[in-house]
Amino acid sequence: MPLRAIIGAQWGDEGKGKIVDYLGQEAALVARFQGGANAGHTIYIGEEQTILHQIPAGILHPDTHCLLGNGMVIDPVGLVQEITLLMQRGIDIQGRIHLSSLAHIVSPLHKILDAYQESSRGPLAIGTTKRGIGPCYTDKVSRRGLRLGDFFNRSQAESILAEQLSQLEQQGIIASDQREELAAEMEKFWQAIAFILPFAVNSVELVHAYLQAGKLILAEGAQGTLLDIDFGTYPYVTASNTVAGNICTGLGIGPRQISEVIGVYKAYTTRVGSGPFPTELRDKVGTYLQATGVEFGATTRRPRRCGWFDAVLGRYAALLNGFDSIAITKLDVLNGLDKIKICVKYRGGDFPTIDLNLAEPEYIELPGWQQDLGQPQHFRDLPRAAQHYLRTIEELIGVKIGLISLGRERKQILVVD
Ligand code: IMP
């Protein structure tokens, strides 16, 4: 009963989609266990770019099934758009997308509330994706949320939504002149609900059927460890647990059923939205990484902040998730740099006890490589300086590298044996 997990080890956008796409070739089921349409996985097959927000990257393999697990918050309107896009690309999704009937549903009210809360935070805004994620998880733990299965009783779901709307109106969060616009949104929402309801499944039964049949499941993490609601850079985090521990509750399995956890790290660090980022580069190297790595959010198109690899946070992520191996992505973006730095320590303490806003990183400096990486078959074929850089990361984090991504295409992955 193999279940492999793919977990982001930084602030999201590590390139998990590409790793899931690569490993998804062997998987019978790819399952998401947390988050929602705040994620954005960009996958290139040849020149064709596909951005997925909710449907796991495994959908691009014709025989792989995909599950949106109970731990997710599903945006029906966005999901229908994604399904439509995939169908337009000629991808046969028939019978391959399954939605947990226990997953909570993001309504247009959640998106309004997300935008409202962000604007009322002023300079302390978190920089959310405004996809309604926080408000939907808030409703879930406040025990007034709506799960996909609850929509089978339409009139009850309608009255709960009407009650929520009237509360938002009373609080002045929704003005009366917004009613018409909202009515149009609600109409689209209900159409989307009708479209996706037939995809609803008993996900616990589904997952365990795959496990019992010994078929490979990939659990696809979204966001990254440093955005975890418990362990991340709180309050500048997302509203779910992004670490491997949440696979159990997000899919309905026991801890012993997870057979392997792979951590994905970008060869440098990026972050979208607000919050501390000790190794951030506000100089021309940062601009270089942003331009060369095309560091713009797949969901919001916001420019990503860029910085050096942070091995202090990297080690922390490895501890929290118990990585068996790691994948390093976007190594090629560092081609051509004279020197490359890695943060190995903070002056004055360690995360999470230190206030990261005050953390002063201490770096080691390694030589760069001034050549293209090409398409090496073996680790030893990489430039010496690149090998040294990767081995240093491995040592600092304490976990072996299993995969290296050297470019945006599916085939540009090096397996390290
Ligand atoms: P939310 O998840 O939309 O509530 O946003 C909370 C924080 O997480 C913000 O800083 C977002 O930019 C960040 N975030 C959410 N999803 C992702 C992601 O998939 N990649 C990177 N950052 C994300």
Side-chain angles (χ1 to χ4, degrees):
M1 36 131 220
L3 188 147
R4 273 179 164 176
I6 317 291
I7 301 289
Q10 295 158 318
W11 277 289
D13 306 319
E14 298 91 353
K16 296 176 289 295
K18 183 159 183 228
I19 303 298
V20 172
D21 175 58
Y22 178 76
L23 297 173
Q25 302 169 67
E26 300 166 24
L29 179 73
V30 183
R32 271 203 46 195
F33 57 93
Q34 46 75 226
N38 47 351
H41 289 166
T42 309
I43 294 143
Y44 284 91
I45 298 164
E47 279 309 299
E48 198 168 62
Q49 185 199 55
T50 305
I51 300 182
L52 297 170
H53 298 284
Q54 300 184 84
I55 300 174
I59 198 69
L60 301 179
H61 298 291
D63 298 322
T64 305
H65 283 234
C66 290
L67 170 70
L68 278 66
N70 61 280
M72 280 187 75
V73 287
I74 297 176
D75 174 356
V77 178
L79 185 58
V80 170
Q81 283 166 357
E82 256 174 76
I83 292 174
T84 310
L85 177 89
L86 289 170
M87 284 162 52
Q88 282 165 354
R89 293 262 159 100
I91 293 163
D92 182 11
I93 56 124
Q94 202 59 40
R96 295 204 293 129
I97 297 178
H98 312 283
L99 312 177
S100 172
S101 58
L102 299 178
H104 279 250
I105 292 294
V106 178
S107 79
L109 303 180
H110 291 133
K111 294 183 197 170
I112 292 175
L113 201 50
D114 198 353
Y116 171 83
Q117 287 171 348
E118 274 293 271
S119 62
S120 46
R121 283 186 193 111
L124 297 177
I126 287 159
T128 73
T129 57
K130 301 204 177 115
R131 298 294 163 109
I133 306 298
C136 186
Y137 276 117
T138 304
D139 276 353
K140 173 178 174 172
V141 294
S142 304
R143 292 158 292 179
R144 55 164 187 251
L146 282 166
R147 299 162 302 173
L148 180 60
D150 296 326
F151 285 85
F152 283 110
N153 185 343
R154 176 164 175 153
S155 60
Q156 190 179 307
E158 266 174 341
S159 67
I160 291 174
L161 283 168
E163 172 59 25
Q164 290 177 354
L165 171 61
S166 97
Q167 280 175 13
L168 293 180
E169 284 177 335
Q170 276 165 26
Q171 291 162 15
I173 294 170
I174 294 179
S176 51
D177 60 356
Q178 277 180 287
R179 273 217 144 182
E180 212 170 301
E181 197 186 321
L182 182 60
E185 291 294 316
M186 288 309 288
E187 168 103 29
K188 268 202 267 172
F189 172 78
W190 282 108
Q191 280 168 4
I193 288 284
F195 186 90
I196 67 168
L197 266 182
F199 295 77
V201 292
N202 174 344
S203 55
V204 175
E205 197 176 76
L206 181 91
V207 167
H208 285 272
Y210 276 87
L211 287 174
Q212 271 155 27
K215 294 181 180 167
L216 176 65
I217 301 181
L218 278 192
E220 173 181 309
Q223 293 82 51
T225 298
L226 302 172
L227 288 172
D228 183 278
I229 184 81
D230 281 277
F231 300 108
T233 45
Y234 193 88
Y236 299 98
V237 293
T238 192
S240 63
N241 283 109
T242 57
V243 293
N246 191 28
I247 295 170
C248 297
T249 43
L251 291 181
I253 61 163
R256 281 181 301 171
Q257 284 165 316
I258 301 173
S259 42
E260 187 184 351
V261 186
I262 301 172
V264 185
Y265 295 79
K266 205 178 271 187
Y268 47 99
T269 312
T270 60
R271 172 163 208 173
V272 219
S274 320
F277 181 177
T279 61
E280 182 168 12
L281 288 163
R282 293 193 179 86
D283 58 5
K284 61 179 198 296
V285 182
T287 315
Y288 175 83
L289 293 176
Q290 192 183 72
T292 318
V294 198
E295 295 295 356
F296 295 90
T299 302
T300 56
R301 306 320 286 168
R302 288 177 291 176
R304 295 181 187 138
R305 301 153 66 192
C306 297
W308 295 121
F309 190 89
D310 188 330
V312 178
L313 296 180
R315 200 161 44 230
Y316 178 63
L319 286 182
L320 293 171
N321 291 289
F323 294 141
D324 293 289
S325 70
I326 61 181
I328 300 284
T329 62
K330 290 189 136 178
L331 184 67
D332 54 305
V333 174
L334 300 178
N335 293 352
L337 290 177
D338 269 353
K339 302 265 181 231
I340 304 175
K341 291 186 186 181
I342 301 179
C343 167
V344 290
K345 194 171 185 277
Y346 297 143
R347 236 161 277 150
D350 251 336
F351 187 69
T353 36
I354 195 171
D355 175 355
L356 266 199
N357 287 301
L358 307 175
E360 275 183 65
E362 280 182 18
Y363 292 103
I364 52 169
E365 197 173 76
L366 279 69
W369 53 94
Q370 279 66 46
Q371 67 194 87
D372 268 5
L373 299 173
Q375 288 215 14
Q377 297 300 306
H378 303 283
F379 185 84
R380 61 174 182 273
D381 301 334
L382 286 168
R384 272 284 164 87
Q387 293 183 36
H388 180 49
Y389 181 65
L390 294 166
R391 290 295 182 218
T392 308
I393 288 179
E394 237 177 15
E395 267 168 43
L396 289 167
I397 288 178
V399 186
K400 289 275 177 211
I401 296 173
L403 293 172
I404 305 166
S405 163
L406 308 165
R408 66 182 202 185
E409 281 189 44
R410 209 178 236 181
K411 56 180 190 241
Q412 292 175 290
I413 288 204
L414 173 63
V415 181
V416 184
D417 42 36

Coordinates of all heavy atoms in Angstrom, one line a residue, residues 340-404:
I340 N 27.3 32.1 -5.0 CA 25.9 31.7 -4.6 C 26.0 31.6 -3.0 O 27.0 30.9 -2.5 CB 25.5 30.4 -5.2 CG1 25.5 30.5 -6.7 CG2 24.0 30.1 -4.7 CD1 25.2 29.2 -7.4
K341 N 25.1 32.2 -2.3 CA 25.1 32.1 -0.9 C 24.0 31.2 -0.3 O 23.0 31.0 -0.9 CB 24.9 33.5 -0.3 CG 26.0 34.4 -0.5 CD 25.8 35.7 0.2 CE 26.8 36.8 -0.1 NZ 26.6 38.0 0.6
I342 N 24.3 30.6 0.8 CA 23.4 29.8 1.6 C 23.4 30.3 3.0 O 24.4 30.4 3.6 CB 23.8 28.3 1.6 CG1 23.9 27.7 0.1 CG2 22.8 27.5 2.4 CD1 24.3 26.2 0.1
C343 N 22.2 30.5 3.5 CA 22.1 30.9 4.9 C 22.2 29.7 5.8 O 21.5 28.7 5.6 CB 20.7 31.6 5.2 SG 20.4 31.8 6.9
V344 N 23.2 29.7 6.7 CA 23.4 28.5 7.6 C 23.0 28.7 9.0 O 23.0 27.8 9.8 CB 24.9 28.1 7.5 CG1 25.2 27.5 6.1 CG2 25.8 29.2 7.8
K345 N 22.8 30.0 9.4 CA 22.5 30.3 10.8 C 21.9 31.7 10.9 O 22.1 32.5 10.0 CB 23.9 30.3 11.5 CG 23.9 30.3 13.0 CD 25.4 30.1 13.4 CE 25.5 30.0 14.9 NZ 25.5 31.1 15.7
Y346 N 21.1 31.9 12.0 CA 20.7 33.3 12.3 C 21.5 33.7 13.5 O 21.6 33.0 14.5 CB 19.2 33.3 12.6 CG 18.3 32.9 11.5 CD1 17.1 32.2 11.8 CD2 18.5 33.3 10.2 CE1 16.2 31.8 10.8 CE2 17.7 32.9 9.2 CZ 16.5 32.2 9.5 OH 15.7 31.8 8.5
R347 N 21.9 35.0 13.5 CA 22.5 35.5 14.7 C 21.4 35.7 15.7 O 20.4 36.3 15.4 CB 23.2 36.9 14.3 CG 24.7 36.9 14.7 CD 25.4 38.0 13.9 NE 25.7 37.6 12.5 CZ 25.8 38.4 11.5 NH1 25.6 39.7 11.6 NH2 26.2 37.9 10.3
G348 N 21.6 35.3 16.9 CA 20.6 35.6 18.0 C 19.6 34.6 18.2 O 18.7 34.9 19.0
G349 N 19.6 33.5 17.6 CA 18.6 32.4 17.9 C 18.1 31.7 16.7 O 18.6 31.9 15.6
D350 N 17.2 30.8 16.9 CA 16.7 29.9 15.8 C 15.2 30.1 15.7 O 14.5 30.4 16.6 CB 17.0 28.4 16.2 CG 18.1 27.9 15.3 OD1 18.3 28.5 14.2 OD2 18.8 26.9 15.7
F351 N 14.7 29.8 14.5 CA 13.3 29.8 14.3 C 12.7 28.5 14.9 O 13.4 27.4 14.8 CB 13.0 29.8 12.7 CG 11.6 30.0 12.4 CD1 10.9 31.2 12.7 CD2 10.9 28.9 11.8 CE1 9.6 31.3 12.4 CE2 9.5 29.1 11.5 CZ 8.9 30.3 11.8
P352 N 11.6 28.4 15.5 CA 10.6 29.5 15.6 C 10.7 30.4 16.8 O 9.8 31.2 17.0 CB 9.3 28.7 15.7 CG 9.6 27.4 16.3 CD 11.1 27.1 16.0
T353 N 11.8 30.2 17.7 CA 11.9 31.1 18.8 C 12.2 32.5 18.5 O 11.8 33.5 19.1 CB 12.8 30.5 19.9 OG1 13.9 29.9 19.2 CG2 12.2 29.5 20.8
I354 N 13.1 32.7 17.4 CA 13.5 34.0 17.0 C 12.4 34.7 16.2 O 11.6 34.0 15.5 CB 14.8 33.9 16.2 CG1 15.5 35.3 16.1 CG2 14.6 33.3 14.8 CD1 16.9 35.2 15.5
D355 N 12.3 36.0 16.4 CA 11.4 36.8 15.5 C 12.1 36.9 14.2 O 13.1 37.6 14.1 CB 11.1 38.2 16.2 CG 10.3 39.1 15.3 OD1 10.0 38.7 14.2 OD2 10.0 40.2 15.8
L356 N 11.5 36.3 13.2 CA 12.1 36.2 11.9 C 12.4 37.6 11.3 O 13.2 37.8 10.4 CB 11.3 35.4 10.9 CG 11.7 33.9 10.8 CD1 11.1 33.4 9.5 CD2 13.2 33.7 10.8
N357 N 11.6 38.6 11.7 CA 11.8 40.0 11.2 C 13.1 40.5 11.7 O 13.7 41.4 11.0 CB 10.7 40.9 11.7 CG 9.4 40.6 11.0 OD1 9.3 40.7 9.7 ND2 8.3 40.2 11.7
L358 N 13.6 40.0 12.8 CA 14.8 40.5 13.3 C 16.0 39.6 13.0 O 17.1 39.9 13.4 CB 14.7 40.7 14.9 CG 13.5 41.5 15.3 CD1 13.4 41.5 16.8 CD2 13.6 42.9 14.8
A359 N 15.7 38.4 12.4 CA 16.8 37.4 12.2 C 17.8 38.0 11.3 O 17.5 38.5 10.2 CB 16.2 36.2 11.6
E360 N 19.1 37.8 11.7 CA 20.2 38.3 10.8 C 20.9 37.0 10.3 O 21.5 36.3 11.0 CB 21.2 39.1 11.6 CG 20.8 40.5 11.7 CD 22.0 41.2 12.5 OE1 23.1 41.3 11.9 OE2 21.7 41.6 13.6
P361 N 20.7 36.8 9.0 CA 21.3 35.5 8.5 C 22.8 35.6 8.4 O 23.4 36.6 8.1 CB 20.7 35.4 7.1 CG 19.8 36.6 6.9 CD 20.0 37.5 8.0
E362 N 23.4 34.4 8.6 CA 24.8 34.3 8.4 C 25.0 33.3 7.2 O 24.3 32.3 7.1 CB 25.5 33.6 9.6 CG 25.8 34.6 10.7 CD 26.5 34.0 11.9 OE1 27.1 32.9 11.7 OE2 26.5 34.6 12.9
Y363 N 25.8 33.7 6.3 CA 25.9 33.0 5.0 C 27.2 32.2 4.8 O 28.3 32.7 5.4 CB 25.8 33.9 3.8 CG 24.4 34.5 3.7 CD1 24.2 35.9 4.1 CD2 23.3 33.8 3.1 CE1 22.9 36.5 4.0 CE2 22.1 34.4 3.0 CZ 21.9 35.7 3.4 OH 20.6 36.3 3.3
I364 N 27.2 31.2 4.0 CA 28.5 30.7 3.5 C 28.4 31.0 2.0 O 27.3 31.1 1.4 CB 28.7 29.2 3.6 CG1 27.4 28.4 3.2 CG2 29.0 28.8 5.1 CD1 27.7 26.9 3.1
E365 N 29.5 31.2 1.4 CA 29.5 31.6 0.0 C 30.2 30.5 -0.9 O 31.3 30.1 -0.5 CB 30.3 32.9 -0.2 CG 30.0 33.6 -1.5 CD 30.7 35.0 -1.5 OE1 31.9 35.1 -1.7 OE2 30.0 36.0 -1.3
L366 N 29.5 30.1 -1.9 CA 30.0 29.0 -2.8 C 30.2 29.6 -4.2 O 29.5 30.5 -4.6 CB 29.0 27.9 -2.8 CG 29.0 26.9 -1.6 CD1 28.5 27.5 -0.4 CD2 28.2 25.7 -2.0
P367 N 31.2 29.0 -4.9 CA 31.4 29.4 -6.3 C 30.2 29.0 -7.2 O 29.6 28.0 -7.0 CB 32.6 28.7 -6.7 CG 32.7 27.5 -5.8 CD 32.1 27.9 -4.5
G368 N 29.9 29.9 -8.1 CA 28.8 29.6 -9.1 C 29.3 28.8 -10.3 O 30.5 28.4 -10.3
W369 N 28.5 28.6 -11.3 CA 29.0 27.9 -12.5 C 28.5 28.7 -13.7 O 27.4 29.2 -13.7 CB 28.4 26.5 -12.6 CG 26.9 26.3 -12.4 CD1 26.0 26.3 -13.3 CD2 26.2 26.3 -11.1 NE1 24.7 26.2 -12.8 CE2 24.8 26.2 -11.4 CE3 26.6 26.2 -9.8 CZ2 23.9 26.1 -10.4 CZ3 25.6 26.2 -8.8 CH2 24.3 26.1 -9.1
Q370 N 29.4 28.9 -14.6 CA 29.0 29.8 -15.7 C 28.7 29.0 -17.0 O 29.3 29.2 -18.0 CB 30.2 30.8 -16.0 CG 30.2 32.0 -15.0 CD 30.5 31.6 -13.6 OE1 31.4 30.8 -13.3 NE2 29.7 32.1 -12.7
Q371 N 27.8 28.1 -16.9 CA 27.5 27.3 -18.1 C 26.1 26.8 -17.9 O 25.6 26.7 -16.8 CB 28.5 26.1 -18.2 CG 28.4 25.1 -17.1 CD 29.5 24.2 -17.0 OE1 30.6 24.4 -16.4 NE2 29.4 23.0 -17.7
D372 N 25.5 26.4 -19.1 CA 24.2 25.7 -19.0 C 24.4 24.3 -18.4 O 25.4 23.7 -18.5 CB 23.7 25.5 -20.5 CG 22.9 26.7 -20.9 OD1 22.8 27.7 -20.1 OD2 22.4 26.7 -22.0
L373 N 23.3 23.8 -17.9 CA 23.4 22.5 -17.3 C 23.2 21.4 -18.3 O 23.6 20.3 -18.0 CB 22.3 22.4 -16.1 CG 22.5 23.4 -15.0 CD1 21.3 23.3 -14.0 CD2 23.8 23.1 -14.2
G374 N 22.6 21.7 -19.4 CA 22.4 20.7 -20.4 C 21.4 19.7 -19.9 O 20.5 20.0 -19.1
Q375 N 21.5 18.4 -20.4 CA 20.6 17.4 -20.0 C 21.4 16.2 -19.5 O 21.5 15.2 -20.1 CB 19.7 16.9 -21.2 CG 18.7 18.0 -21.5 CD 17.4 17.4 -21.9 OE1 17.1 16.2 -21.8 NE2 16.5 18.2 -22.5
P376 N 22.1 16.4 -18.3 CA 22.9 15.3 -17.9 C 22.2 14.0 -17.5 O 21.0 14.1 -17.1 CB 23.6 15.9 -16.6 CG 22.6 17.0 -16.2 CD 21.9 17.5 -17.4
Q377 N 22.8 12.9 -17.7 CA 22.2 11.6 -17.3 C 22.5 11.2 -15.9 O 21.8 10.5 -15.2 CB 22.7 10.5 -18.2 CG 22.4 10.7 -19.7 CD 20.9 10.7 -19.9 OE1 20.2 9.8 -19.5 NE2 20.4 11.8 -20.5
H378 N 23.6 11.8 -15.4 CA 24.1 11.4 -14.0 C 24.4 12.7 -13.2 O 24.8 13.7 -13.8 CB 25.3 10.6 -14.1 CG 25.1 9.3 -14.9 ND1 24.5 8.2 -14.4 CD2 25.5 9.0 -16.2 CE1 24.4 7.3 -15.3 NE2 25.0 7.7 -16.4
F379 N 24.4 12.6 -11.9 CA 24.8 13.7 -11.1 C 26.2 14.1 -11.4 O 26.5 15.3 -11.4 CB 24.7 13.2 -9.6 CG 24.9 14.3 -8.6 CD1 23.9 15.1 -8.2 CD2 26.2 14.5 -8.0 CE1 24.1 16.2 -7.3 CE2 26.4 15.5 -7.1 CZ 25.3 16.3 -6.7
R380 N 27.1 13.2 -11.6 CA 28.5 13.5 -11.9 C 28.7 14.3 -13.2 O 29.8 14.9 -13.4 CB 29.4 12.3 -11.9 CG 29.0 11.3 -13.0 CD 30.0 10.1 -13.0 NE 29.6 9.2 -14.1 CZ 28.7 8.2 -14.0 NH1 28.1 8.0 -12.9 NH2 28.4 7.5 -15.1
D381 N 27.7 14.4 -14.0 CA 27.8 15.1 -15.3 C 27.5 16.6 -15.1 O 27.7 17.4 -16.0 CB 26.8 14.6 -16.3 CG 27.1 13.1 -16.7 OD1 28.3 12.7 -16.5 OD2 26.2 12.4 -17.1
L382 N 27.0 17.0 -13.9 CA 26.7 18.4 -13.6 C 28.0 19.1 -13.4 O 29.0 18.5 -13.0 CB 25.9 18.5 -12.3 CG 24.4 18.1 -12.4 CD1 23.8 18.0 -10.9 CD2 23.6 19.1 -13.2
P383 N 28.0 20.4 -13.6 CA 29.3 21.2 -13.3 C 29.7 21.0 -11.9 O 28.8 20.8 -11.0 CB 28.8 22.7 -13.6 CG 27.6 22.6 -14.4 CD 26.9 21.3 -14.1
R384 N 31.0 20.9 -11.7 CA 31.6 20.7 -10.4 C 30.9 21.6 -9.3 O 30.6 21.1 -8.2 CB 33.1 20.9 -10.4 CG 33.9 19.8 -10.8 CD 33.9 18.8 -9.6 NE 34.4 17.5 -10.0 CZ 35.6 17.1 -10.1 NH1 36.6 18.0 -9.7 NH2 36.0 15.9 -10.4
A385 N 30.8 22.9 -9.6 CA 30.3 23.8 -8.6 C 28.9 23.6 -8.3 O 28.4 23.7 -7.2 CB 30.5 25.3 -9.2
A386 N 28.1 23.1 -9.3 CA 26.7 22.8 -9.0 C 26.6 21.5 -8.1 O 25.8 21.5 -7.2 CB 26.0 22.5 -10.4
Q387 N 27.5 20.6 -8.4 CA 27.5 19.4 -7.5 C 27.8 19.8 -6.1 O 27.2 19.3 -5.1 CB 28.6 18.4 -8.0 CG 28.3 17.8 -9.3 CD 29.4 16.7 -9.7 OE1 29.9 16.0 -8.8 NE2 29.7 16.7 -11.0
H388 N 28.8 20.7 -6.0 CA 29.2 21.1 -4.6 C 28.0 21.8 -3.9 O 27.8 21.6 -2.7 CB 30.4 22.0 -4.8 CG 30.9 22.5 -3.5 ND1 31.2 21.7 -2.4 CD2 31.3 23.8 -3.1 CE1 31.6 22.5 -1.4 NE2 31.7 23.7 -1.8
Y389 N 27.4 22.7 -4.7 CA 26.2 23.4 -4.1 C 25.1 22.4 -3.6 O 24.7 22.6 -2.5 CB 25.6 24.4 -5.2 CG 24.5 25.2 -4.7 CD1 24.6 26.2 -3.8 CD2 23.2 25.0 -5.3 CE1 23.6 26.9 -3.3 CE2 22.1 25.8 -4.9 CZ 22.3 26.7 -3.9 OH 21.2 27.5 -3.5
L390 N 24.8 21.5 -4.4 CA 23.8 20.5 -4.0 C 24.2 19.6 -2.9 O 23.4 19.4 -2.0 CB 23.4 19.6 -5.3 CG 22.8 20.4 -6.4 CD1 22.8 19.5 -7.7 CD2 21.3 20.8 -6.1
R391 N 25.4 19.2 -2.9 CA 25.9 18.4 -1.8 C 25.9 19.2 -0.4 O 25.6 18.6 0.6 CB 27.3 17.8 -2.0 CG 27.4 16.8 -3.1 CD 26.6 15.5 -2.7 NE 26.7 14.5 -3.7 CZ 25.7 13.6 -4.0 NH1 24.5 13.7 -3.5 NH2 25.9 12.7 -5.0
T392 N 26.2 20.5 -0.6 CA 26.2 21.3 0.6 C 24.8 21.4 1.2 O 24.5 21.3 2.4 CB 26.7 22.7 0.3 OG1 28.0 22.6 -0.3 CG2 26.9 23.6 1.5
I393 N 23.8 21.6 0.3 CA 22.4 21.7 0.8 C 22.0 20.4 1.4 O 21.4 20.4 2.5 CB 21.5 22.0 -0.5 CG1 21.7 23.4 -0.9 CG2 20.0 21.7 -0.1 CD1 20.8 23.9 -2.1
E394 N 22.4 19.3 0.8 CA 22.1 18.0 1.4 C 22.6 17.8 2.8 O 21.9 17.4 3.7 CB 22.8 16.9 0.5 CG 21.9 15.9 -0.1 CD 22.7 14.9 -1.0 OE1 23.9 14.9 -0.9 OE2 22.0 14.2 -1.7
E395 N 23.9 18.2 3.0 CA 24.5 18.1 4.3 C 23.8 19.0 5.3 O 23.6 18.6 6.4 CB 26.0 18.5 4.2 CG 26.9 17.3 4.0 CD 28.3 17.8 3.6 OE1 28.7 18.8 4.2 OE2 28.8 17.2 2.6
L396 N 23.5 20.2 4.9 CA 22.9 21.2 5.8 C 21.5 20.7 6.3 O 21.1 20.9 7.4 CB 22.9 22.6 5.2 CG 24.2 23.2 5.0 CD1 24.1 24.5 4.1 CD2 24.8 23.7 6.4
I397 N 20.8 20.2 5.3 CA 19.4 19.8 5.6 C 19.4 18.4 6.3 O 18.5 18.1 7.0 CB 18.6 19.8 4.3 CG1 18.3 21.3 4.0 CG2 17.2 19.1 4.5 CD1 17.6 21.5 2.7
G398 N 20.3 17.6 5.9 CA 20.4 16.2 6.5 C 19.6 15.2 5.8 O 19.2 14.2 6.4
V399 N 19.2 15.5 4.5 CA 18.4 14.5 3.8 C 19.0 14.4 2.4 O 19.4 15.5 1.8 CB 16.9 15.0 3.7 CG1 16.1 13.9 3.0 CG2 16.3 15.3 5.0
K400 N 19.0 13.3 1.8 CA 19.5 13.0 0.5 C 18.7 13.6 -0.7 O 17.4 13.5 -0.6 CB 19.7 11.5 0.2 CG 20.8 10.9 1.0 CD 22.1 11.1 0.3 CE 23.3 10.5 1.1 NZ 24.5 11.3 0.9
I401 N 19.3 14.1 -1.7 CA 18.6 14.5 -2.9 C 18.3 13.4 -3.8 O 19.2 12.6 -4.1 CB 19.4 15.6 -3.7 CG1 19.6 16.8 -2.8 CG2 18.7 16.0 -5.0 CD1 20.6 17.9 -3.4
G402 N 17.0 13.3 -4.2 CA 16.6 12.2 -5.1 C 16.3 12.6 -6.5 O 16.5 11.9 -7.4
L403 N 15.8 13.9 -6.6 CA 15.5 14.4 -7.9 C 16.0 15.8 -8.1 O 16.0 16.6 -7.1 CB 14.0 14.4 -8.1 CG 13.2 13.1 -8.2 CD1 11.7 13.4 -8.1 CD2 13.5 12.3 -9.4
I404 N 16.4 16.2 -9.3 CA 16.8 17.6 -9.5 C 16.1 18.0 -10.8 O 16.2 17.3 -11.8 CB 18.3 17.7 -9.7 CG1 19.1 17.1 -8.5 CG2 18.8 19.1 -9.9 CD1 20.6 16.8 -8.8

